[in-house]
Amino acid sequence: MTTNSCPYEKIYPSALEKNAEYFMAHAYNLAIDAWNADEVPIGAVLVYEEEIISSAFNQTRMQTDPTAHAEMIAITMGAKKLGDWRLNNCSLYVTKEPCPMCSGATIASRIGKVFFGLEDPKMGCLGGAASLHLLEKSNHKPSVTGGILSELSTKILQDFFKLHRRMDQPISQ
């Protein structure tokens, strides 16, 4: 584990207005937990009927599992909680645009809406580098909204990687 704790403070949004910023703040708080666990700071929450039913942060290093992305863990936990692999009426909030694997999982699980913070033009597959959700022959096309609390998500990721480059501890995602 890193000796450098996350320099950012958690956000405590009011539950009076459960909007995209409210749920993304919870995902952001999980990104802080990821940093403190020496993981790439990405957090995700899965929402059903305006309640968070599952949440996770990246755990690829902790689990020595390249598929242990925040989105994958939150989707798996949410499906188990609902007792169904179809998550049509769920919304996923994640601090960074999902990669090809996580984008595919959102489509395969039939998630209705995906919200993300930081756009990823290199590996994001919900509008950044590619648009898997817009494949012509796909039978499921979730609605996608980016840019929610993007400044916070951008800053925490950039600073995490700057710190690890200085410490000469290569971390890649």
Side-chain angles (χ1 to χ4, degrees), residues 56-134:
F57 59 81
N58 272 20
Q59 297 177 32
T60 56
R61 297 179 78 185
M62 290 169 50
Q63 294 187 25
T64 57
D65 178 356
T67 69
H69 288 198
E71 303 95 308
M72 300 295 285
I73 297 167
I75 289 168
T76 299
M77 290 171 47
K80 286 181 180 179
K81 178 156 182 122
L82 293 178
D84 194 349
W85 64 270
R86 291 176 216 83
L87 303 173
N88 305 62
N89 296 317
C90 292
S91 297
L92 179 69
Y93 294 82
V94 59
T95 55
K96 186 180 86 49
E97 181 181 357
C99 71
M101 173 181 68
C102 296
S103 297
T106 64
I107 294 165
S109 64
R110 312 293 195 261
I111 290 175
K113 297 177 183 178
V114 179
F115 299 86
F116 63 84
L118 167 66
E119 184 177 307
D120 184 352
K122 292 181 182 177
M123 288 294 290
C125 284
L126 293 178
S131 299
L132 292 182
H133 65 299
L134 298 178

Side-chain angles (χ1 to χ4, degrees), residues 23-78:
F23 293 114
M24 190 62 76
H26 286 280
Y28 176 76
N29 289 344
L30 289 160
I32 291 172
D33 292 342
W35 179 311
N36 289 329
D38 201 26
E39 292 282 354
V40 174
I42 297 172
V45 298
L46 190 66
V47 175
Y48 176 73
E49 295 181 350
E50 293 194 30
E51 296 299 326
I52 296 171
I53 61 166
S54 62
S55 60
F57 59 81
N58 272 20
Q59 297 177 32
T60 56
R61 297 179 78 185
M62 290 169 50
Q63 294 187 25
T64 57
D65 178 356
T67 69
H69 288 198
E71 303 95 308
M72 300 295 285
I73 297 167
I75 289 168
T76 299
M77 290 171 47

